[in-house]
Amino acid sequence: LAVGATGTAFYARHQQQVAEAERQKAEALAAQQAALLDATLKAATDIVNTAVQQAENYNIPRSATLVMLEKAEKLFDGMVQYGSPTPELRYRKAQMLIQFARNYAIVGDTGKEAQRAQEAQQLLAALAEEKPDDRNYQYLLAAADMEIGIVLEVHGSLIDALNSYLDGLTICERLAKVDPGIP
């Protein structure tokens, strides 16, 4: 009985170690996949930004640029769905949305510019609420507020634009008090 109990204990311990090693491998793989998705989204956003700028520089018809932007957005939405809704992925999505808003501004689609800026602002407001001390979230939230202000100004909603600008400025002033070394 003693030998059987000892053998069972060793076997159980071995199984526990194997399970722990498998869990660690799965966590490492998930972290690698998240990092790959993040890097891919960043690189793809940079490519889209460059393409829009080049289209503008070489007078490519806006309709062609809009089609490219819409396809890129669908691709990004599909990619984002494969990731877990981690704060990092939501932050990257908000960054992408702000870049898309700016790209839509370049091609003159202020409706989509406003939609993307508002989506980014909502994501960032939630992130900033979850982690109020994260300066990256705060700075990007201020950028989203400014982007919304630009859209509102273009549409002639000057009071709303001013309020949006002031929201962004308030965040920047608060951050400057905490860390005056950041420009």
Side-chain angles (χ1 to χ4, degrees):
L1 289 174
V3 170
T6 303
T8 301
F10 280 120
Y11 179 74
R13 177 70 179 137
H14 173 72
Q15 290 298 92
Q16 184 181 25
Q17 289 172 339
V18 168
E20 178 64 20
E22 290 298 319
R23 185 190 62 76
Q24 288 175 350
K25 283 181 189 177
E27 286 178 359
L29 181 60
Q32 287 175 339
Q33 289 173 339
L36 177 62
L37 179 59
D38 184 62
T40 302
L41 290 172
K42 182 181 183 326
T45 301
D46 291 343
I47 291 168
V48 169
N49 291 343
T50 301
V52 169
Q53 191 60 53
Q54 292 300 319
E56 190 66 16
N57 290 345
Y58 293 106
N59 296 319
I60 292 175
R62 293 191 188 283
S63 60
T65 306
L66 283 170
V67 167
M68 188 266 310
L69 277 172
E70 289 168 2
K71 285 185 178 189
E73 277 197 281
K74 286 179 184 174
L75 174 69
F76 289 152
D77 286 342
M79 291 171 66
V80 167
Q81 289 177 357
Y82 288 112
S84 300
T86 62
E88 294 80 15
L89 185 58
R90 290 183 289 150
Y91 177 71
R92 173 65 63 204
K93 183 176 181 179
Q95 286 178 314
M96 283 181 359
L97 288 167
I98 289 173
Q99 289 304 313
F100 272 104
R102 291 174 179 161
N103 287 328
Y104 281 118
I106 289 171
V107 297
D109 191 337
T110 57
K112 286 188 179 175
E113 176 189 10
Q115 289 172 343
R116 299 315 174 264
Q118 289 168 347
E119 288 176 59
Q121 200 272 350
Q122 290 170 355
L123 274 172
L124 291 161
L127 285 168
E129 189 174 311
E130 289 172 25
K131 290 185 175 181
D133 295 334
D134 191 310
R135 292 188 187 138
N136 291 327
Y137 295 168
Q138 298 291 329
Y139 278 117
L140 200 56
L141 177 57
D145 286 334
M146 296 295 185
E147 196 66 36
I148 290 170
I150 291 168
V151 174
L152 292 168
E153 185 178 348
V154 167
H155 285 284
S157 301
L158 299 180
I159 298 298
D160 292 334
L162 179 61
N163 288 332
S164 192
Y165 288 138
L166 288 173
D167 289 344
L169 180 61
T170 300
I171 293 169
C172 291
E173 286 175 337
R174 185 179 66 244
L175 291 171
K177 288 178 184 174
V178 173
D179 193 354
I182 295 178

